[in-house]
Amino acid sequence: MEPFLNIQHVQKTFSLSGSNLEVLRDIDLDIPEGSFYSIVGASGCGKSTLLRIMAGLESATEGSVRLRGREVKEPTLEIGMIFQESRLFPWLSVRENIRFGIFKTSPEDRQQIDEHIKLVGLTGFETALPGQLSGGMQQRVSIARALVNRPDVLLLDEPFGSLDAFTRINMQQEILKIWEQEKTTIVLVTHDIDEAVFLADHIVLMSRRPGTIKKIVKSDMAHPRKRSSYEYTRLRNEIYQEFFAEFKTDIEYSI
Amino acid sequence: MNKSERPRRNEKVGQIIDYALFLVAPLFVIAVWQVLGDGGHLNLSILPTPQKIMETMVSYAKSGLLSEHFASSFSRVGAGFLLGGLTGLIFGTLLGLSPWFNRLSAVILGVLRPIPMVGLVPLFILWFGIGEKSKILVIAVGALWPVLLNTEQGIRSTDSKYLEVARLLKKDRFTILRRIIFPAAVPELVTGFRLGLSTAWRGVVAAEMIGATRGVGYIISYGREMSLPAAMFLGLLTIGVVGILIDILLARLQNKIIKWA
Ligand SMILES: Nc1ncnc2c1ncn2[C@@H]1O[C@H](COP(=O)(O)OP(=O)(O)OP(=O)(O)O)[C@@H](O)[C@H]1O
Ligand SMILES: [Mg+2]
């Protein structure tokens, strides 16, 4: 069978004022349809760059990203992306922001938009401006905007990074619900190891400078996951240790 | 209850004091001016008293001359502002969008920009005669620059993060311009038009030095020719007062338009 989302030997070098900076080296990933991948790694290891290449916003220096065998060279409606900042247009209402996500607007959009407003739990806020919403609500709108085209793949770059702990856990449950409901393939970049363990079925650990894939940890824990379960803590410890070894930091890890 | 009421009352009193403060200095100047004039300390043939200016204004107003002059100035400013503003908007947009166009026109614009409105009057008379056309063009040039420069700035400073969202959603250039670049530039556009209208209004004096027989600027030149200093003051004051009113009005409008900021 043809691979769904396939990253082959991706390498990325930025040239910064004459000198070259190798950010990604030899990235190979095979992401099956409907899976939930999470990419974790230290700041600056190239996670965002990798995601941007997958979205077609940036081109790889070498190698390629393919979706169902077709090379992704520029953005496509089949791949949606969400950033740390909601990037909503402050002059458009919630409804208009979501409508902006629709490629070819038509009179039947209304129902589609309403469905997505409901999906992210913002019914009643249709006419609000982004400035009148909390950070978490803004991010929900941006998720709705990305989903309204029904993309096959949703890329999320630290989408909850700027939210407080309560809102973040709330949003994690929300994204899980969406994933189960919409069957969208998700790739989530995060700093937060706990977030990755809670959500993903594959956790990609990246090393830095240049960023390479150090390890892919598989997790077949059923949802909803209990943060206190044995399996959960074992997996989290495994990942922490992976990074401790690299940084040679000597922190005692306890539950 | 008392506690919550007190500061509010104080606030109101404070507001009244604030507004009153605006008027203290102008009233003081007018009073001193009148007293000096009445006391014979001023050469009244070149500096009339406020009372005399007031009388002139009343007589102009009664005869309908004031509103007539005012109307013709206002329609010139309107036409010039529309022409200059629209030209500024179009060129500012092109300059903001295309680095290529920007380079191409940089030197020409750089040389034209420092030329003051009055400096163009003789040239426009030579080219277009002393009719309405010259007058409107002088005002248009005044309105052009603020609109052009602010539009360019606003268009160019679109947040690239918004443009990335549009790329991801496969929006075409026209949609990007209409739904992102222009709305994002609205604060700068409003500033540009606001400054443009003030400049246009200020330019009316220069414009009406071109053989006008009507207009607020004409009252000034007429006052000079007829040795009626009170008329000159009337013209100048009208321009000043209308200018500040336009500015206050547009500042209010600005806050209404940009409700997301
Ligand atoms: N457009 C660019 N030009 C030059 N260098 C860049 C560019 N974008 C990213 N880099 C560099 O590439 C490296 C990786 O950046 P990237 O944003 O992908 O890291 P990251 O893993 O997402 O970090 P963080 O967790 O802090 O978001 C950094 O050293 C950064 O300075
Ligand atoms: Mg990043």
Side-chain angles (χ1 to χ4, degrees):
Chain A
M1 207 182 83
E2 186 179 57
F4 177 68
L5 180 57
N6 183 244
I7 300 168
Q8 248 170 36
H9 310 302
V10 161
Q11 196 261 357
K12 179 73 184 176
T13 304
F14 284 114
S15 40
L16 273 175
S17 55
S19 68
N20 284 341
L21 178 70
E22 191 183 14
V23 174
L24 294 172
R25 178 185 288 176
D26 245 343
I27 304 288
D28 282 290
L29 264 179
D30 204 341
I31 300 174
E33 186 159 17
S35 55
F36 196 134
Y37 268 62
S38 186
I39 302 174
V40 293
S43 181
C45 74
K47 304 182 295 293
S48 294
T49 306
L50 177 58
L51 218 58
R52 292 171 60 81
I53 292 172
M54 290 168 75
L57 285 174
E58 202 105 49
S59 59
T61 311
E62 269 169 51
S64 65
V65 174
R66 283 168 196 280
L67 181 66
R68 294 202 183 89
R70 253 193 311 140
E71 187 164 358
V72 179
K73 286 181 171 163
E74 55 178 297
T76 148
L77 290 178
E78 294 159 299
I79 303 176
M81 184 163 181
I82 287 162
F83 304 89
Q84 179 165 351
E85 342 74 56
S86 66
R87 299 198 183 185
L88 298 177
F89 304 117
W91 50 86
L92 296 182
S93 67
V94 167
R95 171 180 293 281
E96 289 304 310
N97 262 291
I98 297 172
R99 189 198 301 283
F100 190 82
I102 298 175
F103 180 58
K104 282 262 185 288
T105 45
S106 74
E108 295 99 73
D109 294 343
R110 208 182 166 81
Q111 194 196 343
Q112 199 179 339
I113 296 168
D114 283 340
E115 261 169 44
H116 282 87
I117 288 175
K118 195 167 163 231
L119 180 73
V120 296
L122 280 178
T123 311
F125 290 94
E126 289 86 349
T127 56
L129 290 174
Q132 299 167 322
L133 304 178
S134 71
M137 289 159 92
Q138 288 177 16
Q139 202 56 296
R140 286 163 191 266
V141 180
S142 96
I143 291 170
R145 180 175 64 185
L147 286 176
V148 76
N149 272 321
R150 305 203 181 277
D152 298 323
V153 180
L154 190 61
L155 308 173
L156 299 118
D157 191 358
E158 294 185 40
F160 315 133
S162 62
L163 305 177
D164 63 89
F166 292 99
T167 315
R168 187 157 56 219
I169 285 175
N170 202 297
M171 292 297 286
Q172 287 165 3
Q173 257 138 11
E174 202 74 20
I175 205 76
L176 212 52
K177 188 190 91 189
I178 289 168
W179 176 60
E180 284 164 350
Q181 208 168 314
E182 305 283 301
K183 313 256 182 294
T184 317
T185 307
I186 289 184
V187 182
L188 170 96
V189 160
T190 178
H191 272 130
D192 184 350
I193 291 172
D194 187 74
E195 182 167 289
V197 175
F198 184 71
L199 295 172
D201 51 39
H202 287 81
I203 301 164
V204 180
L205 313 184
M206 283 182 67
S207 68
R208 68 167 151 187
R209 223 142 278 163
T212 56
I213 293 178
K214 199 155 73 148
K215 194 170 179 183
I216 299 177
V217 179
K218 220 171 144 322
S219 158
D220 38 25
M221 265 184 286
H223 291 289
R225 294 178 181 170
K226 272 209 159 71
R227 285 186 156 92
S228 56
S229 74
Y230 169 77
E231 179 68 6
Y232 191 97
T233 37
R234 191 198 58 72
L235 198 64
R236 195 170 55 175
N237 285 3
E238 184 187 334
I239 295 167
Y240 266 94
Q241 261 148 30
E242 223 30 81
F243 285 110
F244 289 150
E246 189 191 11
F247 300 132
K248 295 187 173 60
T249 335
D250 195 19
I251 301 170
E252 193 183 317
Y253 189 71
S254 58
I255 308 151
Chain B
M1 236 196 159
N2 251 345
K3 257 186 185 169
S4 68
E5 245 168 52
R6 235 194 217 156
R8 213 180 281 159
R9 205 171 281 164
N10 280 345
E11 220 171 80
K12 228 177 192 176
V13 172
Q15 242 175 18
I16 292 169
I17 290 174
D18 276 352
Y19 281 121
L21 274 179
F22 281 121
L23 297 175
V24 167
L27 288 176
F28 179 73
V29 169
I30 290 172
V32 171
W33 183 355
Q34 184 67 42
V35 168
L36 286 176
D38 288 344
H41 301 287
L42 301 177
N43 179 355
L44 294 178
S45 62
I46 57 168
L47 183 57
T49 59
Q51 194 192 346
K52 177 83 174 116
I53 298 169
M54 202 64 192
E55 281 164 17
T56 311
M57 191 181 87
V58 170
S59 85
Y60 263 81
K62 269 191 182 149
S63 65
L65 267 176
L66 188 62
S67 54
E68 202 176 296
H69 286 304
F70 179 77
S72 67
S73 288
F74 209 75
S75 71
R76 280 174 192 140
V77 170
F81 172 68
L82 223 62
L83 180 65
L86 226 56
T87 315
L89 184 69
I90 292 168
F91 277 91
T93 304
L94 288 174
L95 288 166
L97 287 177
S98 160
W100 181 84
F101 185 71
N102 205 313
R103 291 247 169 85
L104 209 62
S105 47
V107 172
I108 297 175
L109 292 181
V111 170
L112 289 181
R113 217 181 76 193
I115 300 174
M117 276 184 278
V118 226
L120 292 171
V121 170
L123 186 68
F124 283 0
I125 292 177
L126 182 66
W127 283 355
F128 309 108
I130 54 169
E132 278 309 285
K133 212 188 265 176
S134 302
K135 297 182 186 70
I136 289 171
L137 277 175
V138 168
I139 295 169
V141 170
L144 170 78
W145 293 110
V147 174
L148 183 139
L149 296 172
N150 280 284
T151 304
E152 179 191 354
Q153 170 69 25
I155 296 286
R156 214 207 320 244
S157 59
T158 318
D159 194 338
S160 61
K161 289 180 173 173
Y162 292 148
L163 299 177
E164 240 172 42
V165 170
R167 265 183 79 199
L168 284 166
L169 297 170
K170 306 298 272 182
K171 297 294 173 180
D172 57 86
R173 282 178 68 92
F174 178 70
T175 308
I176 292 173
L177 195 63
R178 192 171 64 92
R179 303 300 299 272
I180 300 180
I181 295 180
F182 273 126
V186 160
E188 285 91 346
L189 294 183
V190 174
T191 305
F193 278 107
R194 194 178 145 191
L195 291 173
L197 190 52
S198 321
T199 329
W201 179 247
R202 257 182 288 161
V204 83
V205 185
E208 286 169 353
M209 275 163 47
I210 309 173
T213 52
R214 237 185 274 137
V216 182
Y218 168 73
I219 302 179
I220 299 170
S221 12
Y222 174 80
R224 186 182 58 82
E225 278 161 23
M226 295 294 155
S227 299
L228 291 169
M232 294 173 69
F233 275 92
L234 173 62
L236 290 172
L237 277 174
T238 309
I239 287 168
V241 170
V242 172
I244 194 179
L245 288 179
I246 290 177
D247 226 44
I248 292 171
L249 197 79
L250 290 183
R252 294 252 161 114
L253 211 66
Q254 186 163 19
N255 295 333
K256 282 251 167 65
I257 294 175
I258 314 166
K259 52 178 180 290
W260 67 84

